[in-house]
Amino acid sequence: MEYLDFELPIKELEEQLEKCQIIGKESDVDVTETCKQIEKKLSETRKEIYKNLTAWQRVQLSRHPNRPYTLDYIRAICGETWLELHGDRGVKDDKAMIGGLGKIGDQSYMFIGQQKGYNTKTRQLRNFGMANPEGYRKALRLMKSAEKFGIPVVSFIDTPGAYPGIEAEERGQGEAIARNILEMTRLKVPIIVVIIGEGASGGALGIGVGDKVLMLENTWYSVISPESCSSILWRSWEYKEVAAEALKLTASDMKKLKLIDEIVKEPEGGAHANREKAFEIVKNKISKHYEELKKLSPEKLVEMRMDKYSNMGVFSG
């Protein structure tokens, strides 16, 4: 397990607990009471730290190296039923955007989402979770297939943004994202969006239009990353913490602004501290919201979705 700076008190207590348990195993000394005290202190410390997180600390948590990625969620939720589908039928298969069919219980879903890598090799393969236009076109192709067969769509968002390279622009990055946003607003099947990590800019919005948009509590959703915002305003990354506060990018900020529908509470210590519990929570939330959405007709779904996004923001004539 890797630890962020503000998680170091947790690391110390976990090491103490491990040593205590080893002493208990290797000697005849009864350390049960001591271990219980350390466990209690560990739980209290976790609660205290995660209760008072700043916006920047939540950004750091969303990028935690041990945090589960899209494929981790899909494989845990769907198990053997997961079938990945590839290619946009135009250019190639974008490894940064994944999609395919899977089941939760007896219900089939079309899953799409950005996928990051676990080490240097897979990060390069996945392009750090930054999709090219063919990734967004692949996602749209799969969503259209889901619509054709009446299958609900689940979208997992975890990206630092769409790929900003020259070749991506040449192949129509902006058009691909805009096309997805348009088509998602009028897709005739339920769409459930779950932000599981970073939700940056148009890269997130390209698969982010949904009937229900859920955000895990240690994630962020914004037009720009704090580092990029800081470099534009102050010509330096030093003010990223100030930028994070000003951008109002946390789950609680998004809920107050009515840009998302629900904050999904993570296990104690964050999704990376108890991955299995995080998978179970997300799985239950998807099933719960689908049960509500499946009662609506396709026409009502589209009407409500369009109204929802039309009513966002404040403007004056």
Side-chain angles (χ1 to χ4, degrees):
M1 173 73 85
E2 293 185 45
Y3 296 85
L4 301 169
D5 291 345
F6 61 88
E7 290 181 307
L8 290 177
I10 294 169
K11 183 187 178 184
E12 285 172 22
L13 286 165
E14 282 182 347
E15 284 173 353
Q16 282 178 29
L17 181 61
E18 197 178 332
K19 283 174 189 169
C20 186
Q21 287 167 341
I22 289 167
I23 290 167
K25 282 175 188 172
E26 292 178 352
S27 67
D28 296 329
V29 181
D30 185 7
V31 292
T32 313
E33 198 55 44
T34 310
C35 285
K36 276 184 183 172
Q37 285 174 359
I38 297 170
E39 281 171 357
K40 188 184 173 192
K41 178 73 174 161
L42 181 59
S43 180
E44 286 169 359
T45 306
R46 273 207 188 109
K47 280 176 186 164
E48 194 59 36
I49 287 172
Y50 289 101
K51 190 174 70 180
N52 302 304
L53 291 173
T54 64
W56 173 244
Q57 285 171 335
R58 291 203 190 275
V59 171
Q60 287 179 291
L61 274 176
S62 75
R63 299 168 177 166
H64 199 291
N66 299 118
R67 195 173 177 86
Y69 295 142
T70 297
L71 268 175
D72 298 320
Y73 280 98
I74 292 173
R75 284 171 179 152
I77 288 169
C78 302
E80 294 298 312
T81 65
W82 165 241
L83 173 69
E84 189 172 351
L85 301 169
H86 300 272
D88 71 333
R89 302 293 184 268
V91 179
K92 63 176 182 179
D93 183 41
D94 189 339
K95 302 293 184 193
M97 184 76 76
I98 59 153
L101 292 161
K103 282 187 172 184
I104 299 176
D106 294 327
Q107 177 61 48
S108 294
Y109 293 86
M110 182 67 81
F111 290 92
I112 54 171
Q114 291 102 353
Q115 176 65 25
K116 294 177 176 176
Y118 302 95
N119 52 35
T120 306
K121 192 176 178 181
T122 54
R123 281 174 194 138
Q124 285 178 314
L125 174 74
R126 301 288 181 184
N127 200 29
F128 299 87
M130 296 187 290
N132 276 281
E134 51 270 23
Y136 292 99
R137 290 176 182 134
K138 170 165 79 170
L140 181 58
R141 179 178 76 80
L142 298 182
M143 287 189 278
K144 283 292 186 183
S145 293
E147 182 182 51
K148 183 179 178 182
F149 296 107
I151 298 168
V153 174
V154 176
S155 173
F156 288 114
I157 292 177
D158 187 11
T159 181
Y163 184 59
I166 293 171
E167 63 273 33
E169 298 299 338
E170 285 173 346
R171 292 198 296 275
Q173 185 71 288
E175 188 277 336
I177 291 170
R179 170 71 56 193
N180 277 25
I181 293 169
L182 170 66
E183 295 293 349
M184 286 183 89
T185 58
R186 57 192 189 191
L187 207 71
K188 292 184 174 68
V189 289
I191 308 171
I192 299 165
V193 177
V194 189
I195 299 156
I196 57 168
E198 299 185 89
S201 193
L205 275 180
I207 57 166
V209 178
D211 301 296
K212 294 291 178 185
V213 179
L214 319 178
M215 243 179 122
L216 269 67
E217 62 180 331
N218 295 317
T219 61
W220 63 276
Y221 199 21
S222 176
V223 70
I224 194 169
S225 71
E227 294 95 329
S228 299
C229 178
S230 174
S231 65
I232 290 169
L233 294 179
W234 291 284
R235 300 282 186 270
S236 163
W237 278 23
E238 281 179 33
Y239 299 92
K240 56 187 181 288
E241 293 179 39
V242 181
E245 290 292 340
L247 283 166
K248 302 293 178 200
L249 43 65
T250 65
S252 54
D253 291 323
M254 289 288 113
K255 188 77 172 75
K256 276 180 203 162
L257 295 167
K258 297 180 181 173
L259 297 175
I260 62 162
D261 298 288
E262 186 181 343
I263 299 169
V264 179
K265 199 155 176 61
E266 293 184 21
E268 188 181 287
H272 62 283
N274 190 342
R275 292 161 70 103
E276 298 308 317
K277 193 171 179 188
F279 299 147
E280 191 63 29
I281 290 167
V282 170
K283 178 181 173 180
N284 292 338
K285 289 288 179 189
I286 292 168
S287 296
K288 172 180 166 270
H289 285 291
Y290 175 64
E291 286 301 313
E292 293 170 13
L293 294 169
K294 75 176 185 182
K295 296 168 188 168
L296 304 171
S297 68
E299 294 73 26
K300 188 67 179 168
L301 266 178
V302 173
E303 183 192 332
M304 286 175 67
R305 197 183 303 142
M306 285 193 168
D307 285 347
K308 174 184 169 180
Y309 282 90
S310 299
N311 292 328
M312 283 182 184
V314 178
F315 64 93
S316 57

